Amino acid sequence: MSSTAIPASSVPARPGSLRANWRVFWHGGRISYAALFNWARPSIYIPTLLGAPTFQILFFAALGNYATGMDPSFFAIGNAVQVCAMSGIYGMTMAVANERWFGTLPAILASPANRAALFGGRFIPFIANGLLVSAYGFALCWIVLGVRFDLATLGIMALAMVATAFSCSAIGAVQGGLSLRLRDGLFGANLLVFLFLLLCGVNIPLSYLPGWMQAVSQVLPFTHGLEAVRQAIDGAGLAEVGGLIAIEAFIGLCYAVAAFFLFRWLERSAYRNATLDVR
Amino acid sequence: MSGLLAAARSNARHVARVWQFTMKIFMISDFFILTAVVQPIIFASIAYFLFEIGGDAAGEQTLLYAALGTGMMGVWSTTLFGGGGAIAWQRWEGTLELLVSAPRRYDLTLLGQTLATATFGFWSMIATLAWGVLLFGMPLNANYPLLLPVALLAAIIGLGVMGMLLGTTFVLYRHANALSNLLEYPVWIATGMVVPLALLPVWLGPVSWVLVPTWGMAAIRGAAIGTEPPWLAIAMNLVLAVAYYLIARRVLVHVIDKARRDATLSLA
């Protein structure tokens, strides 16, 4: 009798069971990251997700300080948070839209996998990736620009970052869903990333924006999460910034739900119109 | 002599045709419209708001300074992505072998493409100037209006040839797009597009001198809001363009020869 243990993942799980859904969520998410995220390899990851954010932070710190006379740390922190969009927006767009471009969409949609697990699993690697890129950005702020962080509120800052990375990935998922229908999905992704720089308090304090821009910023990711990060760095506790973090998480949840229903609607519409794999 | 002249005219016609064809392609490309029009408008808005907060840090003509700077940022982005990816895209589209084996010199074809890239990039400047006038009431005037077209032409030539150099060198790296993503912000910083070089570390000075966008920016800004005619900057654009072309051509010959020897011309 062989003593070779059967790997847990090869044990068959009843379709629809909790274990099957967990596998779709966890392993599916991991595999989709490795297979669909074009930038996952080091030769692209390092220049794009570490190199570009480095210079983005330095550029806006220099421009902001020159143009306004404000401390460069305001701009450095804003951009250190915003760079998680590189993973959240582009990554989630690729994680959904590349299924079509790589020809795997029909197989995914033909499978009996739970759609919520299938869709939700894609968020985890990109949230983690976004947090890593922002952590690198904060380290850069600390080393190069001398930004100081309060150790006592580091946990709160991390919590605000998790909520921000989630909401950012959620709007990225909406963009990914739209990309299933568009000729060039990355157009919208690029546009979102640039708009965050303008509207979410990353570089311009919200009070200086016109009223309509302030109104738009309230329903976008980053605005509340970034404010929570800024306040936590200044020493605010959970009692002060908990509300901002909750709003950021709620905005993320709304986008995630919208993305899920958009995906389901596109799926049904693709079946109906035989446009599943149309490019 | 007349043979040389006829050859030069024929080459110029070839470059012009490729330029025209590439411009048509860019006109319907979502990506290049975003890079050359939408992105510069967003960056110009950020710069306008920031300078407004600071109370016009760049002097009387702050808005025009910001519009020209952010416009030039868009020109650089378009040149970087268009020029840097020129050969790589031909590989993906499967047209590289045809172009290389055509009787026409391939370096001239590439030059036409990258000149078109730089020219298309100048939509950025039109976009940011129009944005400034319409939304921020920016006064539009030039201290040396007759020199402005000369400065623009010199900048287009300089940036176009730099695009050719980028294309020939980036193709040596498997992921040319990643290099383009990396090099957008550093050149914005190192060439003083919106932050004067005098405020940046001293060692960036010599780096900026060999980058043609520095002189392109200086020529256009000099003609628009400068106190002296920007002859030096215009001349430096042309001198660097010649130097870049010679280097690019040498690299191109080496790359194409190597690709032919190793039978990797079409392998991305």
Side-chain angles (χ1 to χ4, degrees):
Chain A
M1 193 174 161
S2 167
S3 61
T4 308
I6 300 169
S9 59
S10 67
V11 176
R14 195 168 47 80
S17 68
L18 197 62
R19 198 165 67 182
N21 289 345
W22 168 251
R23 276 187 195 169
V24 170
F25 176 84
W26 186 250
H27 295 296
R30 226 162 28 97
I31 292 168
S32 76
Y33 176 81
L36 302 173
F37 186 41
N38 295 346
W39 298 345
R41 61 191 81 181
S43 55
I44 307 180
Y45 189 97
I46 293 169
T48 303
L49 286 166
L50 299 179
T54 302
F55 292 109
Q56 179 186 329
I57 291 168
L58 295 177
F59 172 77
F60 281 108
L63 170 63
N65 178 244
Y66 167 61
T68 66
M70 287 164 63
D71 194 296
S73 63
F74 175 87
F75 307 96
I77 291 166
N79 283 279
V81 174
Q82 193 270 350
V83 291
C84 79
M86 299 288 283
S87 166
I89 302 290
Y90 295 118
M92 280 305 286
T93 301
M94 289 180 200
V96 179
N98 275 352
E99 295 281 13
R100 183 171 68 143
W101 293 108
F102 294 169
T104 45
L105 187 62
I108 289 279
L109 297 186
S111 78
N114 179 295
R115 295 296 187 259
L118 179 84
F119 198 69
R122 309 216 160 187
F123 279 73
I124 304 300
F126 293 105
I127 291 172
N129 201 354
L131 291 173
L132 183 73
V133 175
S134 278
Y136 166 78
F138 286 125
L140 190 83
C141 292
W142 178 57
I143 295 165
V144 180
L145 298 166
V147 177
R148 292 286 166 262
F149 301 99
D150 188 348
L151 278 178
T153 56
L154 223 49
I156 297 164
M157 212 177 116
L159 190 64
M161 274 311 306
V162 171
T164 309
F166 164 66
S167 63
C168 174
S169 301
I171 200 170
V174 174
Q175 174 55 33
L178 292 172
S179 303
L180 289 173
R181 275 292 171 88
L182 300 174
R183 193 179 58 159
D184 181 5
L186 285 178
F187 180 91
N190 279 312
L191 190 61
L192 277 176
V193 170
F194 295 137
L195 285 176
F196 293 152
L197 290 172
L198 173 66
L199 297 174
C200 298
V202 174
N203 293 300
I204 305 159
L206 290 180
S207 57
Y208 287 97
L209 291 175
W212 68 269
M213 282 191 178
Q214 288 186 35
V216 173
S217 77
Q218 296 306 308
V219 294
L220 286 177
F222 284 111
T223 307
H224 300 89
L226 173 57
E227 184 52 33
V229 169
R230 287 195 199 279
Q231 289 187 21
I233 289 173
D234 290 339
L238 195 58
E240 286 102 327
V241 300
L244 288 170
I245 297 172
I247 294 171
E248 183 73 30
F250 177 72
I251 288 173
L253 194 66
C254 291
Y255 280 118
V257 170
F260 177 71
F261 283 108
L262 175 68
F263 187 73
R264 290 307 306 259
W265 177 75
L266 287 170
E267 184 183 354
R268 277 193 291 270
S269 146
Y271 277 128
R272 228 181 7 253
N273 304 318
T275 53
L276 202 61
D277 210 14
V278 175
R279 283 172 222 184
Chain B
M1 187 65 190
S2 65
L4 267 178
L5 209 64
R9 204 179 301 138
S10 164
N11 286 341
R13 212 167 33 235
H14 175 63
V15 171
R17 279 208 189 121
V18 175
W19 178 89
Q20 191 186 14
F21 185 70
T22 311
M23 286 291 279
K24 280 184 188 168
I25 294 174
F26 285 158
M27 290 283 187
I28 54 160
S29 159
D30 291 346
F31 176 79
F32 280 102
I33 289 169
L34 179 91
T35 310
V37 182
V38 182
Q39 178 187 334
I41 284 177
I42 293 173
F43 278 97
S45 303
I46 294 172
Y48 294 149
F49 282 121
L50 288 177
F51 280 112
E52 214 171 69
I53 294 170
D56 300 343
E60 272 178 21
Q61 290 177 304
T62 296
L63 280 180
L64 193 52
Y65 172 91
L68 292 172
T70 49
M72 196 66 181
M73 282 161 56
V75 179
W76 167 245
S77 299
T78 314
T79 305
L80 178 65
F81 286 97
I87 299 180
W89 280 329
Q90 285 162 15
R91 268 184 169 168
W92 294 331
E93 301 293 339
T95 51
L96 184 62
E97 301 99 308
L98 295 171
L99 291 170
V100 168
S101 56
R104 281 287 186 187
R105 275 169 48 189
Y106 178 64
D107 61 323
L108 294 177
T109 305
L110 190 60
L111 181 65
Q113 283 184 306
T114 55
L115 279 175
T117 303
T119 315
F120 192 78
F122 274 86
W123 277 111
S124 309
M125 212 155 265
I126 296 167
T128 55
L129 288 172
W131 192 247
V133 171
L134 293 174
L135 267 86
F136 294 86
M138 181 180 77
L140 202 55
N141 48 27
N143 290 353
Y144 301 98
L146 293 178
L147 270 185
L148 202 54
V150 182
L152 279 170
L153 186 66
I156 288 174
I157 293 171
L159 278 152
V161 180
M162 187 175 188
M164 185 179 172
L165 181 63
L166 294 174
T168 51
T169 45
F170 281 17
V171 78
L172 298 169
Y173 188 67
R174 197 177 161 85
H175 305 292
N177 272 356
L179 281 183
S180 299
N181 290 338
L182 174 68
L183 290 177
E184 197 173 27
Y185 281 99
V187 172
W188 289 352
I189 299 172
T191 55
M193 287 187 188
V194 281
V195 181
L197 285 168
L199 299 178
L200 298 174
V202 180
W203 58 266
L204 268 178
V207 175
S208 72
W209 299 335
V210 295
L211 294 172
V212 86
T214 308
W215 301 105
M217 185 76 269
I220 294 166
R221 209 172 254 157
I225 54 176
T227 50
E228 286 173 21
W231 290 117
L232 173 69
I234 291 171
M236 281 303 294
N237 268 293
L238 301 175
V239 168
L240 282 176
V242 173
Y244 285 175
Y245 178 74
L246 294 175
I247 299 168
R249 198 168 163 210
R250 201 172 173 82
V251 175
L252 187 63
V253 168
H254 168 75
V255 168
I256 299 285
D257 274 358
K258 189 173 182 310
R260 277 177 162 152
R261 256 198 322 273
D262 302 342
T264 56
L265 194 60
S266 61
L267 299 181

